[in-house]
Amino acid sequence: MNEYRTHTCNEISLDDIGKKVTISGWVQTIRDLGGLVFLDIRDMYGITQVVTSGEPKDADFASHIPVESTVKVYGEVEKRDPETVNPKLTTGQVEIRIETIEILGKRTKNLPFEVNSKQNVREDLRLQYRYLDLRNDRLKDNLILRSKVIQYLRNQMIEQGFLEVQTPILTSSSPEGARDYLVPSRLHPGEFYALPQAPQQFKQLLMVSGIDKYFQIAPCFRDEDARADRAPGEFYQLDMEMSFSTQEDVFNTIEPILYNTFKKFSDKKIANYPFPRITYKDAMLKYGTDKPDLRNPLVIVDCTDVFETVGLNAFKGKTVRVISAHDVEDQPRSFFEGMTDYAIKDLKAKGLAWLRILEDRSFQGPIAKFIPDDAREEMIKRTDSKPGDCLFFIAEVPGVVETLAGAVRDELGRRLNLIDNNLFEFCWIVDFPMFELDDRGKLAFSHNPFSMPQGGLEALENKNPLDILAYQYDIVCNGIELSSGAVRNHDINIMLKAFTMAGYTEEEVRTKFGALYTAFQYGAPPHAGIAPGVDRMIMLLTDSETIREVIAFPLNSKAEDLMMGAPCKVKREQLRDVHILIDEKN
């Protein structure tokens, strides 16, 4: 290869016995057996064992090399003694007898934590020394998988005739659902660029430009709070858009790409292919969320009408949802009371009623005496329950009851071990409402402001805004939203009407979305697209608990880069160059 190695640390084999070879890497372990010193040398590809000659000076030198230093080893490949063969290593049948060993990069500081150890290390320490953390096999393997998945996604898109186009990183600020990261301009005092929350407007403009099928592995920047499946700051998505296409065209394009990718890079079973489609309305009713984990078989059932004549003050005037947990007759009373405690303490719910169904189909539980026979039979029928099951009741106002019921469903699934972790369950969520009421009671876009309303201009002009559906869709896997997409609004009149209903004037639309506003007046094709999240795909494929485990250099949960020290203060001269004065009093 070169002066540092003829082989990598996974390439030495029985075929190399008797050959003189050179390897380089990190010293992972040192074992001094009194006269002979064994070292495991690690590089990105594997591990090779090397052993000193019988010379005392060689053994003394090798035994004092600091672990995690980088070294170059030259020597002859030998076959290991049968009792020392290591079947866990690809190089486990051979070793290198050291003729020369040279320290290339000596570790001179104490390690903040043991590399490649299974011990728990605080995440802030791991992120501060991420370059050491990445020497860990698990994280390294995550990055290797990430690279392979991105390459595979890219190849599939190219094979389907998509053109890869890079869109700008410095752009204008626009209201797209999250806070922008702003970049001050040196040449234009008081003005700012924004980092793109997504290439949304650019990919639509590419459609207007005549690019038929566009894609890129796109960086997106959003100033959002972190959570397990969301990285603050920066994330990547497989961004794509298609001209002269419908919702079905997008589904038929991206669904096999996701299926092929998950099938290729995981041994888990993929259930229900093609992916089932669930309306937003049904998802919120049956699962309490628009990103349901379908591995959980529990379903939420509406029983509001059943309780209209039942004398329960706590349920009066409320929307009532019921979850039937099947075959829980062996669960102790503490299980049911524990669920109530969870609802009150963790979810801040007012309570969680429950009723066990006994062998004679009677109810047992805190509210059993309030339930008449006809209501009992109706609930058993509606929830498809039987003796041995238990009904859990959530009563709240609309908008709150869905969230609480969904959280209770998820928790029951966990506590009853109903989730099959060897399964991927995808689904499409479709028919999102075009509008919703915001915290002030004002009409606002509920999803993507660039979406086409179902029914077009006629629906906007004649229907109740809260009844209008949009050609918007999400793809969900195991309770994680992988992607959002939509058929885009390409008609300037429909665009203006939709934004007007959401409280924007035409001048505001022209100012905030000037390029689209103008471009759509030059003949825009119907177009649609989607953008599956690459980081979330890798998170699912690697069974990682947080998205930070699949990103090389992530920010922490407070959007800080502990390794590089960002965000950081800058010199006054730098601020002066971009015309910014910090008000230090505030």
Side-chain angles (χ1 to χ4, degrees), residues 324-388:
S324 178
H326 300 302
D327 303 315
V328 293
E329 62 268 25
D330 294 334
Q331 294 290 342
R333 187 180 181 91
S334 60
F335 171 82
F336 307 100
E337 292 174 344
M339 283 300 303
T340 301
D341 288 343
Y342 164 76
I344 295 172
K345 293 177 182 178
D346 291 53
L347 303 182
K348 310 304 180 187
K350 295 182 179 69
L352 178 68
W354 54 269
L355 291 171
R356 300 174 75 164
I357 305 175
L358 304 181
E359 283 300 322
D360 61 358
R361 296 175 68 87
S362 65
F363 280 165
Q364 178 189 66
I367 62 171
K369 64 181 180 181
F370 298 102
I371 310 298
D373 290 346
D374 57 342
R376 170 172 50 82
E377 287 301 322
E378 178 61 25
M379 283 188 285
I380 290 175
K381 176 183 176 181
R382 197 173 293 191
T383 58
D384 193 24
S385 299
K386 62 185 185 308

Side-chain angles (χ1 to χ4, degrees), residues 384-409:
D384 193 24
S385 299
K386 62 185 185 308
D389 297 348
C390 181
L391 304 182
F392 291 87
F393 298 82
I394 303 95
E396 255 297 353
V397 297
V400 177
V401 70
E402 292 87 354
T403 301
L404 292 177
V408 169
R409 171 183 177 268

Side-chain angles (χ1 to χ4, degrees), residues 494-555:
I494 300 176
M495 178 183 177
L496 285 174
K497 179 62 178 177
F499 274 94
T500 299
M501 292 171 66
Y504 293 81
T505 65
E506 181 172 355
E507 178 61 23
E508 286 175 321
V509 175
R510 188 189 66 78
T511 301
K512 294 179 181 297
F513 310 105
L516 284 178
Y517 174 86
T518 303
F520 284 173
Q521 298 176 63
Y522 287 97
H527 54 281
I530 198 168
V534 171
D535 312 275
R536 290 182 179 178
M537 282 191 229
I538 310 300
M539 181 182 172
L540 285 167
L541 287 168
T542 58
D543 277 328
S544 296
E545 292 185 4
T546 74
I547 206 166
R548 294 185 289 278
E549 297 300 293
V550 301
I551 300 172
F553 299 105
L555 302 180

